[in-house]
Amino acid sequence: MFRFGNPEYLWLFIAMPLLLAIYIYLNIRKRKDVQKMGNLSTLKMMMPELSLKRSYLKFWLIFAVLCAGIIMIARPQFGTKVETVEKEGIELVIAIDVSNSMMAEDVSPNRLARAKQILSRLIDLRKNDKIALIVFAGEAYVQMPLTSDTQSSKIFLNTIDPSLVPIQGTAIGQAINLGMSSFSGDQGISKAMVIITDGEDHGGSTVQAAAEAAKAGVTINVVGIGSPDGSPVPALEYGSKFMTDSEGNVVVSRLNEQMAMEIAQSGGGMYVRADNSNNAIRALETHLDDLETGKTTSLTYSEYDEKFSLLAWIILVILWVEILLYDKKNPLFRNVRVFK
């Protein structure tokens, strides 16, 4: 399999025929100018050191350098390679609340968008970890299984919205149970969950699920997002600004910090409240860094192998030959008749 990494530079080859035509034209004109001075064979006898073949060769060497240079900057790539990469980190399952209440705008731009910003930053900082993504509302689903490909997790993160979970609610306990089944069976490596939610739990077994996870060696960390004062929940349906209950009252969603703290405490982890600063990320990162890491081995497939370095060496050799090649016969190699 072959391709160019920067194919847009290949258009420079259009100039090569023009360069060749100019060179041929100048040589014909030079020959005619010399013929005005006398017979060519007689003039050659008068300039025994001159070697026209050397000048021709020097041009073709420069021409080859230009062609190879164009191909080099176009980055030829072919073949595939497999690298075995050893990383030392932890296994991290991230569960993000996608219930309608996460659309409240008491943090900028809204709770869900801010949660995604926080998690994107966290993923950037945890490049050596294996990461899984879970989304939950009234039910929990695995958005991305455990993987060391952190860049893929950011792609999945960007696609998260409330429509992923049709059943509304905030089943944090179910998310914890699903997260427990997402870890690998590897020993000697710390396992942790990060749950980002507004804490409006609609299930009664969340604290118990967090305690059971802690007994199994998994720390449960909670990032609370929103404000205790609350904020109206925007309506997803067209024609209404905010959601209302059966009595027509505007639905106000509040951050349940008490619930979030209880979950974190039972899970042996930490609770941190997210705002419009990066304090939550720094605190969470410090906590996760304290966990025991282990070696994880994965295969990283690089689809194409870069080959421009080979052309660079060829260009370097040709340039050295061109520099050492005189237009006239070299006195040091007078008896070497390569160019007769």
Side-chain angles (χ1 to χ4, degrees):
M1 190 177 295
F2 178 84
R3 75 168 187 176
F4 288 100
N6 298 320
E8 62 272 14
Y9 290 105
L10 292 176
W11 69 268
L12 293 174
F13 271 113
I14 298 176
M16 293 298 100
L18 178 61
L19 177 64
L20 185 59
I22 293 173
Y23 175 76
I24 294 174
Y25 168 75
L26 292 176
N27 269 277
I28 294 174
R29 185 173 177 177
K30 185 189 296 184
R31 182 178 288 270
K32 289 182 178 180
D33 291 340
V34 171
Q35 286 177 338
K36 293 178 182 179
M37 299 174 61
N39 186 273
L40 287 178
S41 58
T42 304
L43 292 173
K44 287 181 179 180
M45 294 176 62
M46 297 173 62
M47 297 180 290
E49 301 296 328
L50 182 64
S51 175
L52 293 178
K53 291 183 178 180
R54 290 173 181 265
S55 64
Y56 296 154
L57 179 58
K58 285 174 70 68
F59 168 78
W60 287 111
L61 289 175
I62 295 299
F63 189 83
V65 166
L66 291 175
C67 292
I70 293 173
I71 296 175
M72 184 184 70
I73 62 176
R75 289 176 55 208
Q77 303 168 332
F78 60 89
T80 58
K81 60 180 180 181
V82 180
E83 296 178 344
T84 301
V85 180
E86 284 192 353
K87 295 182 179 180
E88 187 164 336
I90 65 172
E91 291 185 1
L92 181 64
V93 173
I94 297 173
I96 180 170
D97 189 346
V98 293
S99 58
N100 288 336
S101 61
M102 291 291 287
M103 301 305 293
E105 297 176 354
D106 45 3
V107 291
S108 179
N110 59 54
R111 294 178 185 176
L112 182 59
R114 181 59 183 151
K116 290 163 69 172
Q117 292 172 0
I118 292 172
L119 294 180
S120 178
R121 176 61 178 159
L122 179 63
I123 291 171
D124 285 338
L125 295 173
R126 309 302 304 180
K127 292 181 179 179
N128 291 332
D129 297 343
K130 283 187 174 181
I131 294 176
L133 284 179
I134 290 175
V135 294
F136 68 93
E139 292 183 345
Y141 298 95
V142 175
Q143 178 75 355
M144 186 192 72
L146 196 68
T147 178
S148 58
D149 187 358
T150 55
Q151 292 305 310
S152 293
S153 60
K154 291 186 68 174
I155 294 174
F156 280 101
L157 183 64
N158 291 332
T159 65
I160 290 176
D161 61 63
S163 64
L164 291 176
V165 183
I167 300 176
Q168 282 301 305
T170 312
I172 302 176
Q174 189 178 139
I176 293 175
N177 293 331
L178 185 59
M180 292 297 294
S181 63
S182 299
F183 291 108
S184 72
D186 295 342
Q187 301 296 323
I189 180 171
S190 295
K191 298 173 173 62
M193 280 191 68
V194 172
I195 302 171
I196 186 161
T197 179
D198 53 23
E200 291 190 342
D201 185 44
H202 296 175
S205 59
T206 302
V207 174
Q208 181 181 353
E212 291 176 356
K215 289 179 181 179
V218 177
T219 57
I220 306 297
N221 307 280
V222 182
V223 178
I225 191 160
S227 68
D229 296 332
S231 175
V233 179
L236 301 180
E237 298 82 6
Y238 177 77
S240 179
K241 188 174 182 180
F242 297 111
M243 293 181 63
T244 57
D245 58 20
S246 58
E247 297 179 357
N249 299 316
V250 174
V251 175
V252 177
S253 173
R254 295 177 173 83
L255 170 62
N256 189 345
E257 280 197 297
Q258 183 62 36
M259 171 62 73
M261 290 178 182
E262 289 179 7
I263 297 171
Q265 184 177 5
S266 298
M270 70 170 295
Y271 167 77
V272 61
R273 179 178 166 187
D275 50 25
N276 291 321
S277 69
N278 292 322
N279 293 332
I281 287 294
R282 287 192 287 266
L284 190 59
E285 175 67 10
T286 300
H287 176 74
L288 293 176
D289 281 342
D290 290 337
L291 298 179
E292 183 181 356
T293 60
K295 288 187 177 180
T296 58
T297 303
S298 60
L299 292 179
T300 301
Y301 292 86
S302 180
E303 187 178 359
Y304 294 97
D305 192 8
E306 299 278 358
K307 296 297 182 182
F308 67 89
S309 58
L310 177 61
L311 285 170
W313 279 107
I314 293 175
I315 290 173
L316 183 62
V317 171
I318 294 176
L319 285 175
W320 272 109
V321 172
E322 194 278 335
I323 291 172
L324 296 174
L325 191 64
Y326 292 175
D327 286 322
K328 61 181 182 179
K329 295 179 180 179
N330 192 331
L332 297 176
F333 303 101
R334 188 181 301 275
N335 296 325
V336 180
R337 301 182 179 277
V338 177
F339 305 97
K340 295 183 180 180

